[in-house]
Amino acid sequence: MATPDFIRNLRATAGQQLLWLPGVAAVVLDDAGQVLLGRRADTGRWTVIAGIPEPGEQPADCAVREVFEETAVHCVPERVAHVMALPPHTYPNGDTCQFMDITLLCRAVGGTARVNDDESLEVGWFALDGLPELAPHERRRIEHALAAGPTWFAPAQHARSPHGSIKP
């Protein structure tokens, strides 16, 4: 994902210290139930389409924007599928970020999938039984988007009982 200007400005004063940032991923399905993936130019890995919201931008708007910018596909967000704090990541230049990943299930409504910017080497539609090699968190995003039921989130590690004590 290209680094937004507001993060470049933060880096000018924050240096390479850890930045805690929102991230939005879109699991986009077509009418045949195929998922839209992009092969990233920076890592060469296949991923769902994702990006960083601009300040004040709603997650659903970010998903729609990122999907179109990267793939030329128009989509409609249908629901929040997954919310999870990802582990910190250090980039080759030494910058460190940790993302609060908000994954949305989206439905394609138009456009033709193609590389639409310099962030992707390839984009394409994949049958669920024919996905390319994906990192575990990418597979988890897709699984949670396809699962029936409420939004997936990691359970609390320290829950409070009705009487106020903490249960491990």
Side-chain angles (χ1 to χ4, degrees):
M1 81 182 63
T3 305
D5 288 339
F6 81 92
I7 293 177
R8 282 192 186 87
N9 294 338
L10 280 172
R11 286 286 179 212
T13 57
Q16 295 178 316
Q17 69 179 300
L18 176 71
L19 293 181
W20 174 246
L21 299 168
V24 175
V27 175
V28 182
L29 300 178
D30 66 7
D31 290 337
Q34 297 180 107
V35 66
L36 180 64
L37 300 175
R39 192 162 69 86
R40 293 175 56 106
D42 60 349
T43 65
R45 296 192 62 109
W46 286 98
T47 68
V48 299
I49 308 306
I52 299 170
E54 294 292 331
E57 185 179 32
Q58 295 297 328
D61 292 329
C62 177
V64 169
R65 176 181 56 77
E66 288 288 344
V67 169
F68 183 77
E69 285 178 359
E70 295 182 24
T71 70
V73 170
H74 297 280
C75 70
V76 174
E78 295 186 332
R79 71 178 179 87
V80 176
H82 157 119
V83 177
M84 180 179 186
L86 299 178
H89 178 78
T90 301
Y91 292 90
N93 69 356
D95 290 352
T96 304
C97 294
Q98 185 172 9
F99 292 96
M100 175 57 70
D101 177 34
I102 303 165
T103 297
L104 302 176
L105 173 64
C106 300
R107 180 176 36 88
V109 294
T112 300
R114 63 178 170 83
V115 173
N116 203 35
D117 66 9
D118 60 357
E119 295 182 44
S120 300
L121 298 172
E122 300 176 73
V123 298
W125 294 102
F126 292 87
L128 296 173
D129 61 358
L131 295 174
E133 182 180 338
L134 295 170
H137 73 275
E138 297 293 342
R139 285 198 176 276
R140 190 168 38 244
R141 285 170 164 160
I142 294 168
E143 290 168 6
H144 294 162
L146 297 175
T151 301
W152 182 91
F153 59 91
Q157 294 181 16
H158 299 286
R160 293 203 175 268
S161 75
H163 304 291
S165 60
I166 295 177
K167 297 183 209 175

